[in-house]
Every structure is written in C-alpha cells, then in structure tokens.
Amino acid sequence: DGLLSAKDAVRRAKKWGHPAIAVTDHGVVQAFPEFYSEAKKAGIKGIFGCEGYLLDDCAPIPFDQTFVVVDLETTGIEHTKDRILEIGAVKLVDGRVAGEFSTFVNPHMAVPEKITQLTGITTEMVMDAPPVEEALRSFKEFAGDAVLVAHNAPFDVGFLTQYGELSGVHFENPYVDTLTLSRYLLRKLKNHKLDTLTEHFAVSLEEHHRATCDAAATARVFLKLSELYRQSGAGGLPGVFPANRAEKRSRMPRYHIILLVKDAKGLNNLYRLVSYAHLNHFDRRSGRP
C-alpha cells in the first residue's frame, strides 16, 4: 500500500537488525526481481509472498445429507472441448444405497482410440445413446438438489456444469471431493488414485474407468472417508458451493489472505496461482476475486 521501493525497504530492515523481510503486494509479484537482488546484496533473508483475495465458497456439509456419487467417462479431460460418453451415479441416503443411475451419452463423434483402450467404450456403444441434453435432464431428475460426490470432483462437476449450461440444465449442487478428503485423512498413502483407495479400504473395483463401476466404488470409499472425518471431530464434510454466476459471486464473503513462499516449489505454485487468478477469476477491478 506504500510508495517505498523494494530497495529502500530491504535497507531499512537491515538497518533495524531484522534477519528477514517479506514482500506481499496486492495480487501481484512484480517486485520479486528487485526484491531478490537487494536482499541478496544486503545479506538478509528475502521471503516472497502475495496478498490475495479469498472467495469463501466452501461450507460444512452435514453428514446426514442425501449424497449422489457420480462418475463420468469422457472423450478427454477438457470440459470446454471434450464430450461426455457415460454417466454413472449412486444415491446414498443414511449411508445406504437408495438408487442407481447409468446411461451412455451420444457424443456425436467417433470415440478416440485411446479412450476406447482406457474405458472399453466404443463408438458403436454410444451411437444410439441419448444426446447430452436428454442424458443430463435425466441425471438432474435423479440427483435433484442432493450433494454431489466425486473423485477429483472439479473434473466431473466441470463437465456437468459446462454441458448443463449449454443444455439449459443448471447444476448448482454443492459437492464433496473424495480426492481432497483422502489427501487430508490418508497422508501416508503413496498416491490418492481411486484404485489405490479401493485397495486401501478393501473395496471392489472390477471395471475401472467405467462410470457405473467407478461411481459404486467411489460411494463405498466415500462412506469410509466420511466416517474417518466424523471421527476426527469435524462438524461436517468440506463442501464446495459452485460460484459460476457473477451475481452469486458478488454476494459471497471474501477475505484478504497472506501467502508466503516456503521453497522453490512454493514459488512456482505462487506464480501459477497468481496467473490462474488473473486469467480465470479476475472480476472487474483489484480487490475482487
């Protein structure tokens, strides 16, 4: 917020006997080159940081909610250009399976060979399937306003939201990500892939990379993870409430947050985060996410 240069700030910190000084500009990192150079000259530790703007789109999800565990198979990983091939889902009420949903989706294109090799889904299997608009309407009717659950949920929810908006089917359901839960609760695992978690919890996963089977396995993994999270003393599951529409974002609480870099990997992560924020979430002016 001041007019002081990085050079003068470092010299003042050195004069006052401080062993280190951090720079945390508002939403940017332009001071880093000068700051690094001056801190090195002065023999003082330079800490790189940034003051960000945090949009609070998360809130606890009660454990007794109705959950719909969903999995999608797609032609690729980009929800803005790739297409949905299959939707599978399991509805959980009071920790028990209360319904299942499964449908192929006609992508109106040939299924890429690498996707067929991964999933076993061929062009012939989906060519007579309902179009995405019809499939999403049916899934929305099945899911209703239930909390969605998925493994790496931003992937599945991203496709549902993208094609839902194009189809006039709005998915504004809050969601829980089992990948996030696993990373928090099971930190000693070598990785947090679905097949790793099913092995850890002795859950069957017979046809991996098929939507219905993956959804059923994810549902059983979710029940195990949610129980562990409950035992940790948490009052509810970490839920994300989509903020896709500008009018909803404008009403959500936002906070200032100070981020400090710990090591070289953290510096790279900060650069990525600032770029992501400016390119994907900049909202009219500085000070708003």
Side-chain angles (χ1 to χ4, degrees):
D1 290 332
L3 301 177
L4 192 66
S5 69
K7 180 178 181 179
D8 289 339
V10 170
R11 286 183 173 181
R12 177 62 65 180
K14 180 70 173 179
K15 183 177 180 180
W16 286 348
H18 289 292
I21 182 172
V23 59
T24 55
D25 283 339
H26 283 265
V28 294
V29 293
Q30 279 93 330
F32 284 8
E34 180 187 3
F35 175 69
Y36 172 79
S37 177
E38 294 301 326
K40 187 175 181 179
K41 289 178 185 177
I44 188 172
K45 181 178 181 180
I47 302 172
F48 302 100
C50 181
E51 181 171 1
Y53 309 98
L54 179 66
L55 180 71
D56 186 8
D57 61 352
C58 299
I61 300 288
F63 292 101
D64 60 356
Q65 292 287 300
T66 294
F67 297 95
V68 170
V69 186
V70 60
D71 183 80
L72 305 182
E73 299 303 332
T74 63
T75 61
I77 62 173
E78 298 289 338
H79 65 259
T80 55
K81 67 178 183 180
D82 294 310
R83 303 181 186 183
I84 300 173
L85 292 174
E86 186 180 24
I87 305 174
V90 174
K91 182 176 292 185
L92 298 175
V93 178
D94 295 328
R96 299 174 180 268
V97 175
E100 296 182 351
F101 178 91
S102 178
T103 183
F104 281 125
V105 181
N106 189 340
H108 298 288
M109 62 174 283
V111 177
E113 180 60 29
K114 63 180 181 180
I115 299 300
T116 297
Q117 293 175 359
L118 178 67
T119 66
I121 299 174
T122 65
T123 302
E124 290 72 22
M125 293 168 67
V126 297
M127 62 187 305
D128 294 324
V132 67
E133 299 86 356
E134 182 180 335
L136 288 178
R137 281 195 293 269
S138 297
F139 175 66
K140 179 62 177 178
E141 184 177 346
F142 173 79
D145 296 325
V147 178
L148 301 180
V149 178
H151 196 68
N152 189 21
F155 171 85
D156 301 275
V157 174
F159 272 94
L160 291 174
T161 302
Q162 172 75 13
Y163 282 96
E165 291 294 325
L166 294 174
S167 306
V169 183
H170 302 300
F171 289 93
E172 299 176 348
N173 309 54
Y175 64 85
V176 175
D177 186 6
T178 52
L179 178 59
T180 300
L181 277 175
S182 175
R183 285 172 172 167
Y184 177 73
L185 292 167
L186 307 173
R187 302 182 189 186
K188 294 184 178 180
L189 286 185
K190 60 181 180 180
N191 62 59
H192 300 272
K193 297 177 182 178
L194 182 58
D195 51 357
T196 301
L197 293 178
T198 55
E199 181 180 351
H200 177 77
F201 288 119
V203 167
S204 174
L205 181 60
E206 296 178 356
E207 290 186 86
H208 193 19
H209 297 300
R210 286 299 305 273
T212 303
C213 181
D214 283 1
T218 302
R220 292 192 286 272
V221 166
F222 168 68
L223 291 175
K224 300 281 190 180
L225 290 171
S226 60
E227 182 57 30
L228 288 176
Y229 203 68
R230 187 200 300 265
Q231 292 173 6
S232 73
L237 293 162
V240 177
F241 290 75
N244 298 312
R245 300 185 180 184
E247 64 270 20
K248 288 195 171 186
R249 287 201 304 268
S250 66
R251 296 197 299 268
M252 287 185 169
R254 52 179 56 84
Y255 309 92
H256 287 237
I257 181 173
I258 296 295
L259 307 168
L260 298 177
V261 167
K262 184 177 180 180
D263 51 28
K265 182 178 180 181
L267 181 61
N268 182 272
N269 288 338
L270 181 60
Y271 287 150
R272 291 175 177 272
L273 182 60
V274 170
S275 297
Y276 175 70
H278 280 246
L279 292 172
N280 296 86
H281 293 283
F282 186 81
D283 187 11
R284 293 180 291 183
R285 60 182 173 83
S286 178
R288 297 176 67 87

